PDB file of all heavy atoms in Angstrom:
ATOM      1  N   ASP U 271    -192.346 -72.592   3.427  1.00  0.00           N
ATOM      2  CA  ASP U 271    -193.127 -73.818   3.367  1.00  0.00           C
ATOM      3  C   ASP U 271    -194.384 -73.660   4.268  1.00  0.00           C
ATOM      4  O   ASP U 271    -194.457 -72.743   5.076  1.00  0.00           O
ATOM      5  CB  ASP U 271    -192.272 -75.064   3.689  1.00  0.00           C
ATOM      6  CG  ASP U 271    -191.835 -75.175   5.121  1.00  0.00           C
ATOM      7  OD1 ASP U 271    -192.694 -74.991   6.032  1.00  0.00           O
ATOM      8  OD2 ASP U 271    -190.642 -75.352   5.341  1.00  0.00           O
ATOM      9  N   VAL U 272    -195.343 -74.523   4.034  1.00  0.00           N
ATOM     10  CA  VAL U 272    -196.660 -74.298   4.616  1.00  0.00           C
ATOM     11  C   VAL U 272    -196.590 -74.280   6.141  1.00  0.00           C
ATOM     12  O   VAL U 272    -197.223 -73.391   6.779  1.00  0.00           O
ATOM     13  CB  VAL U 272    -197.648 -75.373   4.125  1.00  0.00           C
ATOM     14  CG1 VAL U 272    -198.963 -75.356   4.905  1.00  0.00           C
ATOM     15  CG2 VAL U 272    -197.940 -75.151   2.647  1.00  0.00           C
ATOM     16  N   PHE U 273    -195.852 -75.153   6.758  1.00  0.00           N
ATOM     17  CA  PHE U 273    -195.804 -75.194   8.228  1.00  0.00           C
ATOM     18  C   PHE U 273    -195.286 -73.851   8.750  1.00  0.00           C
ATOM     19  O   PHE U 273    -195.814 -73.285   9.710  1.00  0.00           O
ATOM     20  CB  PHE U 273    -194.938 -76.364   8.707  1.00  0.00           C
ATOM     21  CG  PHE U 273    -194.972 -76.538  10.197  1.00  0.00           C
ATOM     22  CD1 PHE U 273    -196.062 -77.173  10.783  1.00  0.00           C
ATOM     23  CD2 PHE U 273    -193.958 -76.073  10.991  1.00  0.00           C
ATOM     24  CE1 PHE U 273    -196.131 -77.345  12.176  1.00  0.00           C
ATOM     25  CE2 PHE U 273    -194.015 -76.259  12.377  1.00  0.00           C
ATOM     26  CZ  PHE U 273    -195.087 -76.886  12.975  1.00  0.00           C
ATOM     27  N   ASP U 274    -194.198 -73.339   8.167  1.00  0.00           N
ATOM     28  CA  ASP U 274    -193.631 -72.085   8.628  1.00  0.00           C
ATOM     29  C   ASP U 274    -194.588 -70.919   8.475  1.00  0.00           C
ATOM     30  O   ASP U 274    -194.709 -70.071   9.366  1.00  0.00           O
ATOM     31  CB  ASP U 274    -192.292 -71.749   7.937  1.00  0.00           C
ATOM     32  CG  ASP U 274    -191.167 -72.610   8.499  1.00  0.00           C
ATOM     33  OD1 ASP U 274    -191.389 -73.284   9.531  1.00  0.00           O
ATOM     34  OD2 ASP U 274    -190.078 -72.623   7.884  1.00  0.00           O
ATOM     35  N   VAL U 275    -195.242 -70.863   7.346  1.00  0.00           N
ATOM     36  CA  VAL U 275    -196.142 -69.714   7.134  1.00  0.00           C
ATOM     37  C   VAL U 275    -197.327 -69.795   8.127  1.00  0.00           C
ATOM     38  O   VAL U 275    -197.775 -68.784   8.631  1.00  0.00           O
ATOM     39  CB  VAL U 275    -196.641 -69.652   5.662  1.00  0.00           C
ATOM     40  CG1 VAL U 275    -197.791 -68.699   5.514  1.00  0.00           C
ATOM     41  CG2 VAL U 275    -195.469 -69.234   4.762  1.00  0.00           C
ATOM     42  N   PHE U 276    -197.759 -71.002   8.359  1.00  0.00           N
ATOM     43  CA  PHE U 276    -198.899 -71.152   9.311  1.00  0.00           C
ATOM     44  C   PHE U 276    -198.477 -70.873  10.750  1.00  0.00           C
ATOM     45  O   PHE U 276    -199.270 -70.340  11.527  1.00  0.00           O
ATOM     46  CB  PHE U 276    -199.532 -72.547   9.208  1.00  0.00           C
ATOM     47  CG  PHE U 276    -200.637 -72.651   8.230  1.00  0.00           C
ATOM     48  CD1 PHE U 276    -200.358 -72.699   6.873  1.00  0.00           C
ATOM     49  CD2 PHE U 276    -201.973 -72.645   8.609  1.00  0.00           C
ATOM     50  CE1 PHE U 276    -201.375 -72.774   5.910  1.00  0.00           C
ATOM     51  CE2 PHE U 276    -202.999 -72.692   7.679  1.00  0.00           C
ATOM     52  CZ  PHE U 276    -202.675 -72.777   6.324  1.00  0.00           C
ATOM     53  N   THR U 277    -197.268 -71.230  11.088  1.00  0.00           N
ATOM     54  CA  THR U 277    -196.887 -71.136  12.496  1.00  0.00           C
ATOM     55  C   THR U 277    -196.006 -69.928  12.830  1.00  0.00           C
ATOM     56  O   THR U 277    -195.902 -69.552  13.946  1.00  0.00           O
ATOM     57  CB  THR U 277    -196.175 -72.411  12.965  1.00  0.00           C
ATOM     58  OG1 THR U 277    -194.964 -72.577  12.232  1.00  0.00           O
ATOM     59  CG2 THR U 277    -197.057 -73.679  12.795  1.00  0.00           C
ATOM     60  N   ARG U 278    -195.416 -69.327  11.784  1.00  0.00           N
ATOM     61  CA  ARG U 278    -194.619 -68.129  12.009  1.00  0.00           C
ATOM     62  C   ARG U 278    -194.908 -67.067  10.937  1.00  0.00           C
ATOM     63  O   ARG U 278    -194.018 -66.663  10.190  1.00  0.00           O
ATOM     64  CB  ARG U 278    -193.116 -68.409  11.968  1.00  0.00           C
ATOM     65  CG  ARG U 278    -192.581 -69.230  13.102  1.00  0.00           C
ATOM     66  CD  ARG U 278    -191.060 -69.323  13.019  1.00  0.00           C
ATOM     67  NE  ARG U 278    -190.510 -70.092  14.109  1.00  0.00           N
ATOM     68  CZ  ARG U 278    -190.431 -71.411  14.100  1.00  0.00           C
ATOM     69  NH1 ARG U 278    -190.820 -72.117  13.068  1.00  0.00           N
ATOM     70  NH2 ARG U 278    -189.911 -72.036  15.159  1.00  0.00           N
TER      71      ARG U 278
END
Side-chain angles (χ1 to χ4, degrees):
D271 70 50
V272 169
F273 188 78
D274 283 350
V275 167
F276 270 76
T277 62
R278 290 186 180 84

